Amino acid sequence: MTILLAFFLFGLHSFAQQTVRGTVGDMLLQSSLSGATVTMNEHSTLTDDKGQFRFTNILPGNYSIMVTYSGYQQQQVEIKVISGKENAISPDDAKFRTPNIPVAVLLEGKFSSLYANRVSAAMRDSISAYGGSFMPQNIDDNKMIVVADGDIVLNSVSKGNEPLPMGVNPYTIGTQREVLFANAIFLQNCLDYLVNENNLSEAKAKDYVARLLNMQKVKEEKTFWQIINIAVPVLLVILFAVIFQWNRKRKYSK
């Protein structure tokens, strides 16, 4: 399941002629959403190609605006239209300023068994009778990665019941808002880290030196190698043709 947060930005204004207008957009992708359904009490409309909507002839009073769009969470905002005054409603910026929200945690060390305090003496004796012993904690260091949502490793399915690449949002695929999230890369890095004894961080920390060409030598020998690459294949084809014709003539001339 693709993790996609749908945020809607409203800029609502009412004027003396009781007109309410606003814009619907995706704050994550910084783009407007055209074709979104905007409902204000008994009034309903669709946003234009710029994500804007407009209601006219609105009487003063309290209204509830509902916005729905395929692939996004439904959003609702309450407004109050006051005749002769301009009203502006914006999203709470504090809700969108929380940085580095963890969705996965890496744990390393010795882990205690979930049954450490649940094994009775009778169960221990039964395990011992089969030549085993209960271990309340692992001996060697271990590691695990705990992810907040297991759907992060799921693949969505297209309308034709075909699996989509991991990290693709099926509702925006094929549109200008299509984004490929790094779910697959995250999963690969997790597996590499868990099974790689040398640790993925050490592999990524390696320095790779690019062996660049000697540009002075390239400039001096450019013509020579161009002739070799062009002439040699042609000469080989001609030589093969001559040998083939000579062998054919020798074979059938008798």
Side-chain angles (χ1 to χ4, degrees), residues 40-165:
M40 188 174 73
N41 290 22
E42 69 277 7
H43 306 281
S44 182
T45 186
L46 297 176
T47 56
D48 58 19
D49 56 351
K50 296 182 180 180
Q52 298 178 352
F53 64 90
R54 183 184 184 93
F55 294 107
T56 58
N57 300 323
I58 303 300
L59 297 176
N62 297 321
Y63 293 89
S64 176
I65 292 184
M66 185 81 66
V67 179
T68 56
Y69 192 81
S70 178
Y72 290 81
Q73 296 177 353
Q74 182 175 272
Q75 299 292 319
Q76 182 175 350
V77 63
E78 304 295 331
I79 68 168
K80 184 176 183 179
V81 178
I82 302 175
S83 178
K85 293 185 178 181
E86 180 177 341
N87 304 272
I89 297 180
S90 300
D92 186 1
D93 292 339
K95 295 181 179 179
F96 309 113
R97 293 179 179 175
T98 305
N100 304 324
I101 300 176
V103 296
V105 178
L106 170 64
L107 303 176
E108 294 181 330
K110 294 180 172 62
F111 303 107
S112 299
S113 171
L114 294 176
Y115 300 93
N117 300 320
R118 301 180 183 180
V119 180
S120 62
M123 294 178 64
R124 291 179 183 272
D125 294 339
S126 177
I127 295 175
S128 299
Y130 286 94
S133 61
F134 175 74
M135 298 178 58
Q137 188 181 66
N138 58 305
I139 299 176
D140 299 327
D141 288 341
N142 211 330
K143 48 192 175 182
M144 69 172 69
I145 297 177
V146 182
V147 183
D149 189 354
D151 289 345
I152 196 173
V153 299
L154 293 182
N155 292 73
S156 299
V157 180
S158 66
K159 295 181 179 179
N161 292 327
E162 297 180 356
L164 298 174

